[in-house]
Amino acid sequence: MARRLQSTLREGESVARIGGDEFTILIPEVSNCKSLQTLAQRIISQLEKPVQLLQQEFFLTTSIGISLYPKDGNSAELLVKHADVAMYQAKSAGRNQYSFYQASSSQQNEDELKLEQALRQALRQQQLEVYYQPKFTLATGKLCGLEALLRWHDTELGSVSPVLFIPLAEKLGLIHQLGEQVLRQVCSQLRIWQDLAVPVAINISALQLTEPDFLSKLINILEQSGVSPSLLELELTESCLIPEQAEYTLSVLTQLKALGLRLSIDDFGTGYSSLSYLRRLPLDALKIDRSFIKDLPASESDSQITLAIIAMAKALGLEVIAEGIELTTQRQFLLDAGCDTGQGFLVSPALPSAEINKWLVNS
């Protein structure tokens, strides 16, 4: 890549690799923006040519951010910072293109860039922490498992919601690294809890499931930790059930099931999964999305939807889990409707490992 970049430059222009897959190019004495546009397009054309590696061809995309002196900054630090912001604009616009720094949208893009940089650092330093929320049998109130939920508290940004950083991790291609860290944390904790034999559920994104070496990584982590696969449950969102990848998904899930893992569909009712496809999958449970639980039993429409989901799950021979239970009236409605398992603030919020350890001892 460095050689290709150098081949696009003229004498007096320089290129430096500043880390990872990021390069900075310094172009002195720019006569007009048109020449920079031409250069940016030439760089993209050079870098999108296939790369030969291990007898295979790989194709890369390039995002370029451009800042100009003195308009966009009068110091090297400021120019690099604003070029970073412009590069983020190019990424957001769809990648494989260039973007000039725009001060008007600077604050929003700088906030996004700051979040991206903080997330990359958090992953490098393994700062993201797994919390655990108890799952209980509705009929008895007894603990029957835990769900692992990822939390991130940054020293500068404060607590960052998963609603923000999970989609960002997917967008940046960091979800595989993030998912692996969660798996390792959970399996390490399960090893400590092995005498308790408490199963733990982990959320898996559609992107993780389509990762070619997802299965081998999972097996490796289980073997290294010595944890029984029966203590691990993978919760898949309905977005994992993409019709175009039906056979591939079925194959992966069948192999996961053969290992002894439990499989469930998370946030059921918010997606568009085909019931004919659903019944082919080796699932153990359906989890009703909290959006249908929060207004129970007062909401007639939510009550009917919840009853329909429970009836369908029972017809398929699946366990039914309800999340977001906060009131005894909600619990009673779900119990009467035939729901098996629940979780929510009624019993306990998600807690860090140190606190959940105390909770488990006292429960």
Side-chain angles (χ1 to χ4, degrees):
M1 293 299 107
R3 282 195 294 271
R4 289 191 189 185
L5 284 171
Q6 286 175 325
S7 73
T8 66
L9 304 180
R10 300 166 302 184
E11 186 177 351
E13 300 172 346
S14 57
V15 59
R17 178 167 175 253
I18 59 172
D21 58 354
E22 293 189 355
F23 293 82
T24 294
I25 297 174
L26 179 63
I27 311 294
E29 300 179 8
V30 175
S31 56
N32 55 64
C33 288
K34 181 68 176 175
S35 63
L36 287 178
Q37 291 174 313
T38 303
L39 173 59
Q41 196 54 61
R42 193 161 69 239
I43 291 170
I44 290 171
S45 299
Q46 274 291 333
L47 299 188
E48 68 183 1
K49 293 177 181 177
V51 178
Q52 292 287 339
L53 183 64
L54 299 176
Q55 299 177 334
Q56 292 189 59
E57 282 193 341
F58 293 87
F59 296 86
L60 304 178
T61 58
T62 307
S63 299
I64 300 175
I66 304 170
S67 62
L68 301 171
Y69 170 88
K71 180 174 74 73
D72 299 326
N74 57 9
S75 69
E77 182 183 10
L78 204 54
L79 287 170
V80 170
K81 178 183 177 182
H82 288 165
D84 261 346
V85 172
M87 181 179 69
Y88 198 94
Q89 292 169 341
K91 284 184 180 180
S92 300
R95 300 172 185 264
N96 218 36
Q97 54 188 290
Y98 61 86
S99 176
F100 284 87
Y101 173 71
Q102 298 175 21
S104 58
S105 57
S106 171
Q107 188 57 52
Q108 178 185 350
N109 287 307
E110 285 188 33
D111 289 344
E112 291 174 351
L113 179 62
K114 184 183 291 185
L115 184 62
E116 175 185 339
Q117 291 171 336
L119 179 58
R120 290 184 187 276
Q121 180 176 325
L123 285 170
R124 282 195 302 270
Q125 300 178 356
Q126 299 192 15
Q127 295 173 344
L128 283 81
E129 184 181 2
V130 175
Y131 278 43
Y132 298 88
Q133 184 171 41
K135 296 162 71 175
F136 59 95
T137 304
L138 289 179
T140 63
K142 290 184 177 179
L143 177 77
C144 61
L146 300 165
E147 181 181 4
L149 298 165
L150 199 56
R151 297 291 183 261
W152 177 24
H153 184 82
D154 183 79
T155 51
E156 185 177 343
L157 300 175
S159 293
V160 184
S161 170
V163 174
L164 288 177
F165 71 78
I166 296 295
L168 180 61
E170 292 181 331
K171 179 180 177 182
L172 298 173
L174 300 173
I175 194 67
H176 308 301
Q177 182 183 350
L178 184 150
E180 185 175 345
Q181 286 190 16
V182 172
L183 274 169
R184 290 192 182 279
Q185 277 195 53
V186 169
C187 286
S188 176
Q189 188 64 60
L190 276 170
R191 186 174 177 82
I192 297 171
W193 289 337
Q194 58 185 345
D195 292 339
L196 298 173
V198 180
V200 175
I202 300 177
N203 293 285
I204 300 294
S205 80
L207 290 176
Q208 283 176 270
L209 200 64
T210 55
E211 184 183 10
D213 57 352
F214 171 72
L215 197 61
S216 60
K217 278 185 180 178
L218 176 59
I219 293 171
N220 184 49
I221 292 170
L222 286 168
E223 289 177 347
Q224 287 180 356
S225 63
V227 169
S228 169
S230 63
L231 292 178
L232 204 58
E233 177 178 340
L234 301 185
E235 292 189 357
L236 317 166
T237 59
E238 284 191 85
S239 61
C240 292
L241 311 181
I242 305 168
E244 293 78 13
Q245 297 178 340
E247 295 308 316
Y248 175 80
T249 302
L250 178 59
S251 171
V252 174
L253 295 186
T254 302
Q255 292 176 75
L256 290 169
K257 186 67 178 172
L259 287 174
L261 283 81
R262 274 175 53 90
L263 301 172
S264 62
I265 296 297
D266 192 19
D267 301 334
F268 188 80
T270 60
Y272 304 96
S273 55
S274 161
L275 295 183
S276 61
Y277 176 32
L278 200 64
R279 65 192 176 102
R280 296 174 58 201
L281 302 176
L283 299 173
D284 296 286
L286 290 185
K287 178 178 277 190
I288 307 172
D289 185 69
R290 66 177 63 247
S291 61
F292 301 118
I293 306 298
K294 64 183 180 69
D295 293 326
L296 290 180
S299 169
E300 180 64 23
S301 59
D302 287 345
S303 296
Q304 293 303 317
I305 290 171
T306 301
L307 290 170
I309 292 174
I310 293 171
M312 183 203 66
K314 293 297 181 181
L316 294 172
L318 301 176
E319 177 190 346
V320 188
I321 307 167
E323 61 180 355
I325 301 175
E326 299 184 3
L327 306 171
T328 53
T329 51
Q330 294 169 341
R331 173 181 175 176
Q332 191 60 50
F333 176 89
L334 291 162
L335 179 61
D336 294 342
C339 184
D340 306 290
T341 307
Q343 64 187 91
F345 278 39
L346 180 64
V347 168
S348 174
L351 300 170
S353 56
E355 291 186 36
I356 202 69
N357 277 327
K358 296 176 185 176
W359 194 94
L360 289 171
V361 170
N362 297 325
S363 64

